[in-house]
Amino acid sequence: SIESTQSTVTAYDPVFSIEILEDSFSLPLDSSAQIHALGKDMNGDYMPGLVFTWHSTNENTVSFDGAGNITAINEGITSITASIRSVESLPIQVEVFAMYGTVTDFDGNEYMTVKIGEQWWMAENLRVTHFQNGDAVDFIENADDWWNNTSTAAYCYYANLLENQGLYGNLYSGLVVIDSRSIAPEGWHVPTDEEWMELEMFLGMSQDEAARTGVLRGANMGGKLKFAGIEYWESPNEGATNESGFSALP
């Protein structure tokens, strides 16, 4: 427990209760957040300039800097309270989770994954050449054959260059996406429209707007999913922050 560096309250103003302003929340591993507390006197009036001592039931999960700033250091769940002398707040719960992970496809390719809200997404483009049952996906190299293909689950490379596979993954025909043998790694699946909507709403879109079809929807949600800068996207790529970690490529 570490005391904050805020100014102290005088002894003749007893603190009657303490309230943490934040609700329980989740925090990605190795990230930080600030929590705030306020004290009230016997009349229910807020008292400025208090020194709070912060407590955690699991000190291996978060660390404090003394001013209400916490850093997530290990996965787990902890309850946090603020106190002054014998007066202690009600607890809030903080869950520390790993934002990034990995998944391996049938061919042995490993991909970074990212947790956005309550969902796990792949943060790299798929480059597997087999379905989950081991059946090979047909490779089509000729552009005319690709555009004329209406019956074969197939893949190709961006610009027909193998060197593009590492960054952009494979380009798959629609028949691959809907094939019951599943192109996704084991335990994963191609996301449904409802799952895309959940992602959009987590990034700030309203439920009504997310449910709209046949029109452009959202404001800056796409920017939160895109790589920032102009290394991969054309200039000026305004609004791109990749704050979600999704790392979308063109």
Side-chain angles (χ1 to χ4, degrees):
S1 297
I2 305 173
E3 291 191 352
S4 74
T5 56
Q6 302 175 45
S7 58
T8 59
V9 66
T10 53
Y12 52 81
D13 287 329
V15 178
F16 183 75
S17 65
I18 299 172
E19 175 187 0
I20 296 180
L21 302 185
E22 285 75 21
D23 295 325
S24 297
F25 61 93
S26 298
L27 191 64
L29 191 63
D30 297 325
S31 65
S32 299
Q34 187 172 29
I35 51 179
H36 308 81
L38 289 175
K40 295 182 180 179
D41 61 22
M42 296 183 64
N43 296 319
D45 296 324
Y46 287 111
M47 305 172 66
L50 299 178
V51 176
F52 297 106
T53 301
W54 298 93
H55 310 270
S56 170
T57 57
N58 187 347
E59 296 181 355
N60 293 323
T61 302
V62 298
S63 63
F64 295 95
D65 74 346
N69 296 303
I70 62 173
T71 300
I73 55 177
N74 286 296
E75 291 182 69
I77 298 175
T78 186
S79 293
I80 292 178
T81 57
S83 71
I84 294 179
R85 296 180 292 276
S86 61
V87 181
E88 188 170 28
S89 69
L90 293 174
I92 64 169
Q93 182 174 284
V94 175
E95 177 185 7
V96 176
F97 65 93
M99 182 175 179
Y100 294 100
T102 59
V103 64
T104 303
D105 66 24
F106 184 88
D107 294 340
N109 300 307
E110 186 176 83
Y111 307 88
M112 179 179 290
T113 61
V114 59
K115 188 177 184 183
I116 307 175
E118 296 301 316
Q119 299 173 306
W120 279 96
W121 294 85
M122 290 179 62
E124 297 181 64
N125 288 328
L126 191 67
R127 51 188 184 272
V128 69
T129 60
H130 294 82
F131 293 104
Q132 281 188 21
N133 68 351
D135 289 349
V137 183
D138 288 343
F139 175 66
I140 296 180
E141 185 173 7
N142 181 273
D144 289 335
D145 291 341
W146 177 266
W147 290 113
N148 292 325
N149 173 46
T150 59
S151 60
T152 303
Y155 75 96
C156 65
Y157 305 129
Y158 176 62
N160 279 331
L161 296 174
L162 175 60
E163 62 196 63
N164 286 328
Q165 185 195 43
L167 179 62
Y168 295 106
N170 296 333
L171 303 182
Y172 299 96
S173 67
L175 293 174
V176 172
V177 176
I178 63 175
D179 198 293
S180 61
R181 292 171 290 180
S182 184
I183 194 64
E186 185 176 0
W188 289 67
H189 62 269
V190 176
T192 64
D193 188 49
E194 288 74 17
E195 288 168 329
W196 281 110
M197 289 169 58
E198 181 179 342
L199 174 64
E200 290 171 325
M201 289 186 289
F202 177 79
L203 296 176
M205 189 181 297
S206 70
Q207 185 171 2
D208 288 343
E209 188 171 11
R212 295 170 63 190
T213 59
V215 295
L216 295 176
R217 62 196 192 198
N220 64 335
M221 292 74 190
K224 296 177 181 180
L225 299 170
K226 295 169 59 179
F227 264 117
I230 57 174
E231 181 178 1
Y232 305 117
W233 292 87
E234 291 186 1
S235 179
N237 198 20
E238 293 180 354
T241 64
N242 199 31
E243 61 188 76
S244 67
F246 188 84
S247 306
L249 291 167

